[in-house]
Each structure stands twice: as C-alpha cells, then as structure tokens.
Amino acid sequence: MAKKKSTAKKTDKMVYYFGKTKTDGKGDMKMLLGGKGANLAEMTSIGLPVPAGFTITTECCAAYYKNKRKFPTGLLADCEKAVKLLEKETGKKFGSNSNPLLLSVRSGAAVSMPGMMNTILNLGLNDEAVVGMANMSGNERFAYDSYRRLINMYGDVVLEVPHHAFEAEFDKIKASEGVHEDNDVSIQGLIKLCAEYKKVVKKHAGIDFPQDPMEQLALAIEAVFASWMIDKAVIYRRIEGIIGLAGTAVNVQTMVFGNMGDDCGTGVAFTRNPATGQNKFYGEFLINAQGEDVVAGIRTPQPVAEMPKWKAPNNKTVGKEAHATLMKIKTTLEKHYKDVQDIEFTIEQGKLYMLQTRNGKRTGAAAVKIACDMVKEKLISEKEAVKRIPAGDLTQLLLPSFDPAAKKSAKPLTIGLPASPGAAFGKPAFSAEEAVDRTHAGEQVILVRKETSPEDVDGMHNAAGILTSTGGMTSHAAVVARGWGKCCVAGAGEVHINEKGKKFTVNGKTFGVNDVISIDGSTGEVFSGEIASVEPKLSGDFATVMKWADKYRKLDVRTNADSPADAKRARQFGAQGIGLCRTEHMFFEGDRITAMREMILAENVADREAALKKLLPYQRKDFVGIFTAMKNLPVTVRLLDPPLHEFLPHDAKSQNELAKILGVKPATVKSRVSQLHEMNPMLGHRGCRLSITYPEILVMQVTAIVEATIVCKKKKVNAQPEIMIPLVGTKQELAQLRALAEETIENVKKAKKYTGKLDITIGTMIEIPRAALTADEVAEEADFFSFGTNDLTQLTFGYSRDDVNGFLPDYINNEILERDPFQSLDTTGVGQLVEMAVAKGRKAKKGLKCGICGEHGGDPASVFFCHEVGLNYVSCSPFRVPIARLAAAQAALS
Ligand code: PEP
Ligand code: MG
C-alpha cells in the first residue's frame, strides 16, 4: 500500500462505481466524472457490455492540486472498497497467482483531450500474478508480454524512467536470440526481459517495481492527476480554449484483452463518417492487438466493413458476430445519445466489450449533413439540429480547403494566426506590385509581407493568399482578406522576410520567388510545396440549416462590404443589408489614389474642393453599384476614417513620381507627408476629426451618397443608405457633422430638383469609450448606433490593434487573457461599455437601432453576447454571414 500522506479536505463522493452490482454515475455528469467516466456509467446503465470499473472524480484532481499534490483523505480507502467490489463481481482477485484481476487506469477530463494525458494498462501484474495470468489464459507468452508492457509503461509514465533504457534491454535480448521483431522473442526471453526491466526501474527510479497492486494503483492514479498539468496538456487546453475545468477524472476499469489470440481484437469507430457525415459505420480494427496499437499506427488496421470475413481457427464466426454486435450497438448508441459516437471496443475471445464512447468530432460539412439526416430520421428536432452545429465550422463549407488526406502527410513549416480561412498555394511575391504583375503574367502567387498597408490592396486582391510576419487578427490584412474570403495567415513571427533579396526564411529553410508554398488560413499553418485543395459544395443540407436558423434567430445579420461584388456575395449568403461600407477602400484603385493624394496635399479649401470634385463621380458610381446590389436593404456608409498619411507615398521614388503627376516640387510632397506624420496616427487626425477640419470631405461624400440614391430611385431601385459618422467621442462632434450632412442632403435634393422622400438616416459609430460613457447625450444626435468594437477594444484595453501580436501570446500563455480580445469580444470589460451604451442610448431615444460592425460581429461567442444585450443586428464579412446567422439562432435557442 502506498504510504501517501492524505491531509487534503475530503470532498463529497469521490469514487463512482459502474458495473452489474450498481452504477453510481450518469451521462450528464461530465463535469464531475469526465467525458469518459460519465459515458462508461451511461453505457453500463443502458445495458451495453462495459467491463466494470470505477471513476475518481475531477474534484479529487482539483483537491490534489489545491493541497500541494496530496490525495484527498479517504480516497485510497474508497478505491480499495471499489476494487473489492470489482473482485466480487468478476470473481477475480487483485494480485492473485491463480486468477488475477488486472486494471486499466485512464485519464478523462470533461472535454476530451486525446492523447494528452496518461494511461496505464495491465495494472495488477506482479511476479505472482503473471504466473496466475499465464495459467488462467493458458498463454504464457501473453502473460509475460503483458507484464513487460506494464513495467515499461509504468516506468515511463509513473516513475519517469527514460524510455530508451527499456529499449536497450529489449534490443540486447533480441540480439542474443538473433531475432528482429518483438513478437519473435521466445517466452524465456520475455521472462528474462521482465527481470531486466525491473532492474532498469531500480536503477533509474531508485525503487523496486512495486509488487503490491494497491500501491501500483495509488501511484498510477497520482500519475494521471499529475498529467493534467504536463506541458502538452496545458498547451492543448490553451490552443483549444478549454477553460473552467476542475481537472481530470481517473477511470479504473477491469482489463479485457484484445491481444490474447486470433479470436481477439480491438478497434475504434465512428457511427457515421466524420469527414462527410454519410450514415455509414466507419471504423478500423486489428486482430490480436491492444487498443494502443491501433492509435499508435504500429500495424495497419482493417476497415470494420471487412470484419465479417474474420475467422479464427477456434471460432469461425468471430468476425460475423462481432460485426453484428457492433451494428446493434451503433443503433442503440445513436438512439440514446442522439448524436454520432466515436467508440473504442475490444473483442476478447469472441466477446465484444465497449471501452469508450463520446460524441464524434466531425468536419463542418459532416456536422451539417448529420444534423439534417438526424432530423429526417426523427432522432432530433430542428432546434436541436441548429444548436448542435458549431457555427464557426460553417466556414469550412464556404471556402476551398486543403484535402485532408493531402495535408495529413505534410508537416507545417510554422504556424501563424488563422486570419482569414481558406486554403491557397503559390509562389511568394514580396511586394504588392510584384503580386499584381506576376498574377497578370499568369502565375499564382502568395503575397508575403512583413505587414500590409492599404496601399497593398491591389496586390492582396490579386494574390491567391496572403502571409504576413506581423499583425493581428484585426490588422488590415486580416480584415480585408476576410472580407474577400481570401486566405490569409498573419503574424507568422518565425517568417523572416528579406524583401529586397526576394526571399524569406523560416526555421532554417529559405524560399524564393520560384518556391511554392501553401497556407491554411483556417489553422494558420504554412507548408512547403503545393497541397491539393477541394472546392466547397453548398449542399441542400446547408440551405436547410440556414432556413432553420433564420426561423429562430432574433438578430439581423448584415455584412461589411465595400464593393458591389462583395455585396452580392454577402446577399447570397443571406446578408440583410450592409452594416459597414468602409469608403476609404474605394480611394486606392487606379486614378482615384492620385486625386485623393491631390486632395490631401492641397494647401487651401479651393484646391481641396477641386480634387474632391474629381473623386465625386467615382464615389457616386461606387454607391450606385452597392445600393443596387443591396436594393431594398439598408446600406450603412461610413464616412472617411483613416488618418490621411495612410494614403500618401512614403519613399522618395514614389514621392517624386507623385510630384511629377501633380506638377509640384518633390520637396512640396515631402514636406506635406512629414507634416501629416503623427506619433500615434490611430489616436490622431482620423474619423470625424477629418470632417471637422475639412468639412468639404464630408460634403463630397454625402453628395455622392445622395446623388447615387437619386440615380437609383429614378431607376426604381430602392436604395436605403444610412450615413455613419466614425470615431465620435462627444455629442458636439456629431451635432456639427450631422447638421452639415443634413444641409448637404437638402442642397443636393434642390440641385437635382428631387422632390421625393429619401429617408437617409444619420447615425454614429460607438468606438471611443467616451462615446459609450455619454451614449445618452450622443443618442440625441444619432438615428442609430453601430459599435465599432475593433477600436473600442483597442481604446478600452489601450492595446494597439496593429501591434498587439507582439505581446499577446505572452498574455495568453500566462493566462492573463483567455483569448485574443480582438477576435472574441471581451464581454466583461468592452462588453460592459456596449451594454451600458445600448441602455443609455435607448433611454434617451426609445427603440434606438443598435448594431455591431467590428470584427466581433462574425464571432459566434460575440454574437451570443450581442443577442443577450439586445442589439438589433450584427455585421460581419461576407463569408461569416452564415456563421453569424447560425450563431444568432443558437443564442436565441439557448
Ligand atoms: C471598428 O473600429 O470596430 C470598425 C468597424 O472600424 P475600423 O475597423 O474600420 O476601424
Ligand atoms: Mg474603427
């Protein structure tokens, strides 16, 4: 018996038994018993063949850590009682030399963490029990093979003996017998190996391999508890965003053996195909093997469909019967769990046992198909189907993705941020110009940049994908790429770019303009070479799920779009209008950038107005296109937002070229560029502040909006523009600009002799904390609020949204932040401002329309929050519209 001092406070019930005598747990006790433990209890209760055992609760694990790695008082005594019950039920005895009971000890948290924590098999074998095992099974080889596996596994996992020390002994014995394969070692060789392994334990751990089975058990339980905090488990939880769990449960279960002979086997299976969703049992099995052999890939398993052909010398129908049992179990499990199950089973001398079941992880496409099929099969309701599909996984259905089979064999060079989903391959291009030129010349390129600026927009649009070494999820590259559904990996810090030399290095490998790379914007992975991809199919099931989602959701879903093409695409995805049309993106193409630069460089109002006049027709045309694409639906047009220096060339060559075009001295351009330089441009002269200084910019933009509306109305196109003024911090800013916008609307109507109604509303973005704090005042001047949560997050945390990636990983690693607040809304801090602003705004103006247009509008968790605080709509990039529709329905149904 382990002499572990037990000082910790006793928790409530610590050990939950499952077996014929009694079953304490239930399927809904995952938080307490872990997923595996809860389901073992549940499967036992519904009469499935589960080897008896018991589960130690996750609370015991939490208590173990709370009490400086000591077991809660009474835990071992409770385990001993449970073992006694197992002995009674199985007729076997722990440590017996005639009929030994052997146990497996496995981890199992509430959320599955495959392969991240420890497992020990064959526990209970010792020098005596191994003899008992040989007698009982009539198979001495099997007994000693199991014993050497236990000493090895136990040494590795519990006593931290280096694995190679065991390997070396095995190699010596194989060499002495002149054999190569483990299976060819003689029985005498295995007996000797067990003795040598025990010596290895003594040498490296300083203790004898424990012969007392209860001591083995105590140490094994402790090893499982300890594995909750090993690096890979901690990292896995961080990557998967698994938070709020007490710890791991420990499942102690009677061993059954798939490796006792030719009528034994083991396998894993899904009750339906997890990649496609097809309702076809999908699994693999190995004859005469233990479970770990299947997952470790030591031997190649056969498909379960082949199982009926399996015949053992002593049992001709073993495969047929096992297969029939599995099919019955599939129906039972799906009827019971009402979901696809991922199962592990073992066949011991022809009898099939269930070792595990859990809801099967599946692709987005499979999730949609399975949900629809299960509604048809009357297993679940429409509402359940809607709730069950992970909204974020819909992305996989809308964009091309790498062929999972092709990706499996490729190792990523590095992993950046999954900034914009999809899959792309191409040769690196190191500037926007180069990307455009090479694309036009027929090449497929990936734009590889340290970061991207609005000037790169053309290159980004032309490239097959974008890879940046800095920048976060709301960096320009990410926002723009998502809007287009263009694959983008951002912030890949290990990518070192030599723009001049036209090459980059990543982890010692160098890539030039002729080397092909592949990037996966859904995972952030970067690969060498071309990986095959598959095109999305928007199946009928997808449409069905969307129809159901629309039936239940309360939030409207709009899109962030600034071109007719994006608007059209978003409409196809179900967008109910545009929530954010960023007008600055319209000023970069072709001649427009020159007129824009002329406007910025103008030194007086008259020159500025002259330049703006050149921009007006472009703007009007853009708006006519967008309003037409979005006819009968609202379009929120945001007036110019970024600081003006973003539009100017910064290198001498481009400045000289611009001077030439504008007919001014290069020094004039240079001096105006440096005049516009700001220390903190994102906190500087941008947003509504531009129109306060240069009201003529607002006048031009509003004129373009109104003229475009009139053009549309005359063509019987019902345009519904809404003017949105960005970066407002005070009521006075909005009041002044609103008055100017209203005056402009009237002036244009008069000039165009238009007498009909236009109904153009004027609202504001709430993206400065002060605007949120004074939302009641601001509301007096606003017809609507739209929360710009990108800037609101930036300004509330004081983190630059463009540079945050420099330290954010440390914040996540150190658990200061649970997740990137630019991806998923910080509901406690930033969310409080949103909630308060909605309440204050609506108090001042009843029924004030409120929406969100920051990147959070397409993030399922943030959509939940938006539903809860009573927003009217969310607005997100076109490809995230279906995700937001589904998430909004899930929020309404939760
Ligand atoms: C925002 O700040 O949330 C927003 C939508 O505006 P932008 O990202 O263009 O600053
Ligand atoms: Mg903003």
Side-chain angles (χ1 to χ4, degrees), residues 479 560 580 582 584 638 641 682 686 765 767 787-792 801 853-855:
V479 171
N560 294 356
L580 173 63
R582 290 178 165 103
E584 57 270 20
R638 182 189 60 192
D641 183 56
M682 290 304 271
R686 59 173 286 226
M765 291 185 74
E767 50 185 344
F787 290 92
T789 43
N790 302 334
D791 275 310
L792 194 58
R801 55 196 269 197
C853 64
E855 284 305 296

